[in-house]
């Protein structure tokens, strides 16, 4: 008897088909409006590098360019080490369907040693996750059910009419894989994109939009992630501008005891 | 008689040698500790795409991975359109020396149309640039003399001993090319990296360090940049974490009247 894979591991599974080439398949559990949730595509690109026997150290940066919608079905991932030193290693990754590039990305890995540490960034003061009720995401997009969202601030208000003045773009959320799963870099890469696109938050109405590019930086090593286990992480998302088809988003992810795990930015397109 | 090129245009000049391949050369005017100032390398990568006749629209995102130090002398730049739709276009760019990859990057361009605009991000309230004295950067690294730095907050204190407790990582600076140059995306790409690496700011002492990867998002179109002309822009830089060889940095660049031009993030390595 084998244990069932966690949906994230199922959705990011890659079958090698050659030197740094592998096949994957979109998973209906992470379906978004058009194609899969972007965070799971980001996780696939990172996983290709994480599972490479030539990788050194931990990932410190991941950039993903969503060049076109990923179609339901099979995709090919190819990755190359572009340059490596003794402690820092650079990778490019591509995802293709029908021979065409659908997603590109780059990953930076590094062997991190203990250094002077200073943490001027401070997590917001929030109630613990067990005191915050989970959002009801059932019956909406499948990917929303892959996370436990506990909104401390800035919940989506799907049921309410659009507000007359824009709402705050800021959300503060306890986030956890659902079902719970021990935290690793692949999961962090997905969670870093698990914030509802800010324009929906602000305008309170759906419309055509999608992330075009995102970058995530990792600020903790593998051992620190293992210490967290399957606990929820605290996420903060905000935006500075919505203008001429594009909006920014910046996020941060924190451990339950307030240590910074990851920061990220993205640009998302919206129609009007 | 021809007018002399601005140093930035000289340092980013590319001579075509084939289909989406060109030669460039490092310029001593932008020299940093080891190799050129990273911002000028970022500007070179963006310029390759900006000057391509197949480009559509304005750049909205630029990611640059500094894989190895750029050696003084010639380099080759090669760029490819990875995917393009009607309004969004993706590019990868590489810089090589002696046949080895030294820098990789990606650029996203987009035809931006007028949409709903909302600007929740607000520039800090500061005195105008003419009321802030320029920093004296003469006789230090050459690249520092390529900008006029007027520190509103968080000046570098090169002459002072290292502080006992870390200084704030935040700086607010009026920044301008020196000599002044009309603002364009290439100049913005360089200015987005013109903040002294935050660990120097915080610890007050030099040491081995360097930017490993950066991402810049552009929030204004070509016409908006032309309106600014050669005026200074307001830059804000901050960091959340310095830990195990790496530190983050986030920046924003604003017009003199407080409109957001660009945001950016980077990860920089430091030794100890």
């Amino acid at each position: 008897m084998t244990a069932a894979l966690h949906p994230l591991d199922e959705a990011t599974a890659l079958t090698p088909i050659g030197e740094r080439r592998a096949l994957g398949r979109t998973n209906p559990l992470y379906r978004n409006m058009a194609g899969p949730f972007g965070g799971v595509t980001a996780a696939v690109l990172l996983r290709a590098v994480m599972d490479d026997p030539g990788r050194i150290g931990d990932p410190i940066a991941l950039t993903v360019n969503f060049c076109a919608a990923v179609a339901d079905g099979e995709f090919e991932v190819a990755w190359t080490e572009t340059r490596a030193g003794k402690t820092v290693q650079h990778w490019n990754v591509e995802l293709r369907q029908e021979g065409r590039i659908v997603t590109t990305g780059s990953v930076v890995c590094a062997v991190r040693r203990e250094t002077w540490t200073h943490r001027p960034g401070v997590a917001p003061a929030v109630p613990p996750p067990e005191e915050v009720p989970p959002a009801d995401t059932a019956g909406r997009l499948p990917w929303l059910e892959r996370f436990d969202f506990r909104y401390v601030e800035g919940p989506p208000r799907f049921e309410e009419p659009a507000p007359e003045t824009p709402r705050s773009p800021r959300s503060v959320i306890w986030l956890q894989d659902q079902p719970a799963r021990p935290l690793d870099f692949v999961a962090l890469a997905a969670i870093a994109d698990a914030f509802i696109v800010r324009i929906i938050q602000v305008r309170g109405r759906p419309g055509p939009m999608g992330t075009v590019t995102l970058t995530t930086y990792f600020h903790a090593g593998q051992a620190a992630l293992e210490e967290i286990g399957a606990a929820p992480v605290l996420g903060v998302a905000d935006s500075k501008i919505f203008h001429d088809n594009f909006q920014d988003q910046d996020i941060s992810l924190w451990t339950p005891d307030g240590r910074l795990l990851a920061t990220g930015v993205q640009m998302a397109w919206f129609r009007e």
Side-chain angles (χ1 to χ4, degrees), chain A residues 59-85:
Chain A
I60 62 153
L62 167 68
T63 291
V64 180
N65 299 300
F66 300 96
C67 306
V70 180
D72 286 337
E74 198 170 69
F75 53 78
E76 182 179 332
V77 180
W79 58 105
T80 54
E81 186 196 78
T82 53
R83 183 95 188 224

Side-chain angles (χ1 to χ4, degrees), chain A residues 247-266:
Chain A
Q247 62 142 98
D248 74 320
Q249 178 185 278
D250 59 90
I251 67 106
S252 54
L253 299 175
W254 309 78
T255 65
D257 61 352
R259 293 205 155 197
L260 188 59
L261 285 169
T263 50
V265 290
Q266 65 171 255

